[in-house]
Every structure is written in structure tokens, then in C-alpha cells.
Amino acid sequence: MNAKPPKNKDSANALWGGRFAAGPSAIMARINASIDVDRRLYKQDIAASRAHCQMLVDAAIIAAADGKAILGGLDTVEAEIDSGAFNFSAKLEDIHMNVESRLKDLIGDVAGRLHTARSRNDQVATDFRLWVRDAIDNLDAGLKDLQMALLVRADEHAETIMPGFTHLQTAQPVTFGHHLLAYAEMIDRDRGRLRDARLRLNESPLGAGALAGTSFPIDRHQTAQALGFERPAANSLDAVSDRDFAVEFLAACALTSVHLSRLAEEIVIWMSAPFRFVMLSDAFSTGSSMMPQKRNPDAAELVRGKTGRVIGDMNALLIMLKGLPLTYFKDMQEDKEPVFDAYDSLELCVAAMGGMVRDMTVQAAAMRAAAAQGFSTATDLADWLVREENVPFRDAHEIAGRAVRAAEEKNCADLSGLTLSDLQGIDARFTKGALDVLSVESSVASRTSYGGTSPTRVREQIVAFRKRLS
């Protein structure tokens, strides 16, 4: 006895073909649908469909008239989505079927010819690569803007002295400009990693079919070129199952977010009462519901907090992929949400960090006072003994340590409180010239090695950086 056809022709099984006689349960429909997530791919999906359609016409696989109707219909679908007039349906599962279904409403059965020599497997892999490529380009532009903000502030503060820290203990004086340039360097590496990921992802899966290619005489090089890919992916199995590009993107995002978090943590510390190195305006800080005196660096704290989210997105994708044999599995529907989430979080954090860097008011006097504390020029005193008296550095280190102890016993704020008599009481080789190296200004000015904190070197680094960015 033949089974009766399902009454609800709008159910998802109508899209799967004649193999399924009954529609999915409500729970199955909910867990199976991805349209709430992957509707963001509509621009890429339509772009890939245009390229595929034109190739089918050029290869004489479909008629030119059909291709013209399909391309015109795709233009209409895109315009409807752009304007917000498009009605997305969870019953149609994903962005691909939503677009195809609406295309059929517009141009009739000829819409079905678009799916010739194409599977949703190679379709989604293509769309996803296109989206990640666009995301990389957008992030790169945002990160470059942040670098420019750092360079502007570094130039302003090439001579502003602050304490350099190790273990969050005062180590040696540096300039604030030099400190900011360290983050510009980190971000440059972040941009490099994103560019590397973009190079590797720039292969087209389109035409790989479900997993084995197609018997139609398609031109995969044509579609790859039309979509801006370097080449078509060489192996059809790998083309539909590869998500390395998404993992690489998330790894680059995770490390970038860690760098932003480190700078955010510094801003939180710098704004705290014991430091007061910088202030943020009302644009990037908040008050307290109870304590009227408070100014909280909430923007920085949120940048720091979102880092865990981005790292978690990378872990989620890696864990989803780790047990999958070739080729496509429905698990891979879970690949886009962490990528979208990480991008949204990082894009916002980059913009917020750029805003904070431009907004912060630097308290130069507080930085200078802190730099002089903790006997931060002790290494300069040891270096003087090495340079002027030919004392081995290990011996000079021990002598400078005794000078620090003497300054502590005299309750000096810094080593410049010691007299020549004090120094000669520690070691007779000290001369009047040793007093000249004890100020934080002389310490900073002396650090002229390549990459050092001397204002001269900082300005050279800024000039070189600007050339790279231009």
C-alpha cells in the first residue's frame, strides 16, 4: 500500500525530496534550523549563487534565458533582505533554502536550475569563507585605526616618563610613548596573523558538490575568480569538510583579544587611586549607584571580560571538530555561531580600545613621581661602574644594591637623595659623575639602543611605524 503524501508541503521534508514521507517533529525542526544564525551569510550566499549561475550559463549547462531570470530574481531577493522586507522562515532551515524558496516564488520552477552541480555542503563552505574573509578585512581596518591612535598618543608622550614594571614592581624608568608602542607592535602581529589566515582561506569550495565533485562540465576556476578566490580547493572531500580557516580566524581573534585585555588591565590599574596615571572621560567610564565619588573604567573592564568569551568560542569550534571523520556532518552547523560571536565581540572591543586610547588624559606628574620611586635608577648606577671604572657587572650589581640599602636607611625617596660622600662610603671608585646618572631623566635618555625607551628612539620608531602603516 502506498503511503499518503504529507499534507504540509511547507515542511522541511519537501526540500529534502521524495525520500521522506513525513515531516519532522517540532523539536527536530527547532534543533535542525539554523536560519537565526546563518541569515548573516545572505550577501555571501547571493554572491556565490550569482557566480555559480553565470558559470552554468557560460558552460551551457543551463539556458541563458534561465540564467537571466535567476540573476534578476537574486537581485530582488537581496534588495528585500537589505530593506528588511524579507520573511525568513525557520521551516526552510537555513539561509540557502530561504533564498532559493523566495527565488522560486519570484521566477517559478526555473529557480531550481540554480542548484545544478551544487550542494548545500559546498554552498555553505563557500559562503562561510567569503564571510570570514570580509570579517578579516573589517578587523584589519579597525586594528589599523587603533594602531594610529596609539602612535598619535605615543608621539605626544615620547618624553613623558613613567615607571616600567616587572612583577608590577618598579623596575626602570621608561617613557609612556615607548610603553604605548609595545601595544602597537602586538597589534601589528595580530594583523599579520589575520592576513596569514586570509591567504590560506582564499580557496573556493564551490563546485565540490556534496563531497565528490560533479559530473557536469563546470568551470571551478571561473567561479573562484569571480568571487575573488586565488584558486578552487584541490580536493572535493577537503573542500566541504575543512573548517581550518574558521579555527585560524578564531585563534587570531583570541590572541588579539588577549592583547587588548592586557592594555585594558593596564588602564584599570592606571586609573586606580594608588596610580592615577590616566583618567577617562564620561564617554568611557561610569559612576556608582551608591558612591558618588567613583569613576569606574567599565569600558576597559568589559574589554578584559570579553576576552574569555572569544577564547571560549575558539575552544567550542575545536571541540566540535575534533571527532569528525570526513566529510560533512550536521555538527558543522555549529561552526558559525562561535565565529560570529567572536567577531562581534572583538570588533566592539577594538573600537572601544581605540576610543579609550584617544580619550584618556595622561597625568604626567603622577607618572614622573612614580618613576622615581623604588630606586629605579639602580641599574644606571651599576652601568656607570662598568662603563667608567671597568667593574664587572656582577660586582657592580652588588655595589648598586648596597647603595639602594643605604638610600633606604636614609629614607631617601630615590637614589638621587644620596650624596657623593654616601656613594664613596660604599665604594671609593665612585666619582662626581656617578651623581649624573641617578635621575630618571638621564636614565631614560641613556637608553639609546635599538628599540630602547630613549625619546630619540621612540620618535624614530613612530616614524618607521607610520611608514609601515601608510
Side-chain angles (χ1 to χ4, degrees), residues 4 121 148 293 308 456:
K4 293 181 180 179
N121 293 357
M148 293 301 297
Q293 83 281 9
T456 301

Side-chain angles (χ1 to χ4, degrees), residues 197-382:
R198 193 190 193 283
L199 285 172
R200 272 184 292 278
L201 75 77
N202 210 27
E203 297 183 349
S204 174
L206 195 57
L211 76 163
T214 177
S215 59
F216 289 95
I218 62 173
D219 186 345
R220 294 188 60 211
H221 289 85
Q222 177 181 329
T223 52
Q225 183 178 23
L227 294 170
F229 288 113
E230 283 293 318
R231 63 190 71 83
N235 183 285
S236 62
L237 297 169
D238 182 53
V240 299
S241 63
D242 171 43
R243 294 298 183 271
D244 290 2
F245 67 93
V247 174
E248 279 198 75
F249 173 68
L250 288 180
C253 288
L255 189 47
T256 302
S257 69
V258 167
H259 290 154
L260 297 183
S261 182
R262 294 181 73 180
L263 180 52
E265 169 70 2
E266 300 233 54
I267 292 173
V268 171
I269 291 171
W270 292 341
M271 280 191 66
S272 66
F275 285 81
R276 294 299 184 206
F277 286 179
V278 303
M279 292 290 291
L280 291 175
S281 75
D282 294 350
F284 289 96
S285 59
T286 64
S288 165
S289 62
M290 177 179 285
M291 297 164 285
Q293 83 281 9
K294 293 290 293 299
R295 181 182 290 277
N296 301 322
D298 281 8
E301 292 171 17
L302 287 165
V303 168
R304 186 178 60 185
K306 287 181 181 294
T307 299
R309 183 169 178 166
V310 177
I311 294 169
D313 288 328
M314 180 186 69
N315 288 338
L317 185 56
L318 284 168
I319 292 167
M320 183 273 286
L321 289 170
K322 75 173 184 63
L324 297 185
L326 296 177
T327 54
Y328 182 83
F329 292 84
K330 199 68 171 182
D331 311 49
M332 296 171 79
Q333 184 169 287
E334 297 296 309
D335 59 359
K336 286 168 283 298
E337 193 164 10
V339 170
F340 294 162
D341 181 72
Y343 170 78
D344 290 343
S345 297
L346 184 56
E347 182 190 38
L348 180 58
C349 288
V350 170
M353 189 57 69
M356 284 185 281
V357 168
R358 291 184 171 93
D359 179 80
M360 63 186 179
T361 301
V362 176
Q363 309 293 323
M367 285 186 173
R368 165 65 177 77
Q373 296 173 0
F375 311 108
S376 62
T377 57
T379 303
D380 298 272
L381 191 61

Side-chain angles (χ1 to χ4, degrees), residues 14 27 30 38 40 93 141 241 254 291 307 319 330 349 367 386 395 452 463:
I27 293 174
R30 283 180 60 195
D38 63 26
R40 292 178 64 158
E93 294 186 20
S241 63
M291 297 164 285
T307 299
I319 292 167
K330 199 68 171 182
C349 288
M367 285 186 173
V386 173
D395 295 340
V463 170

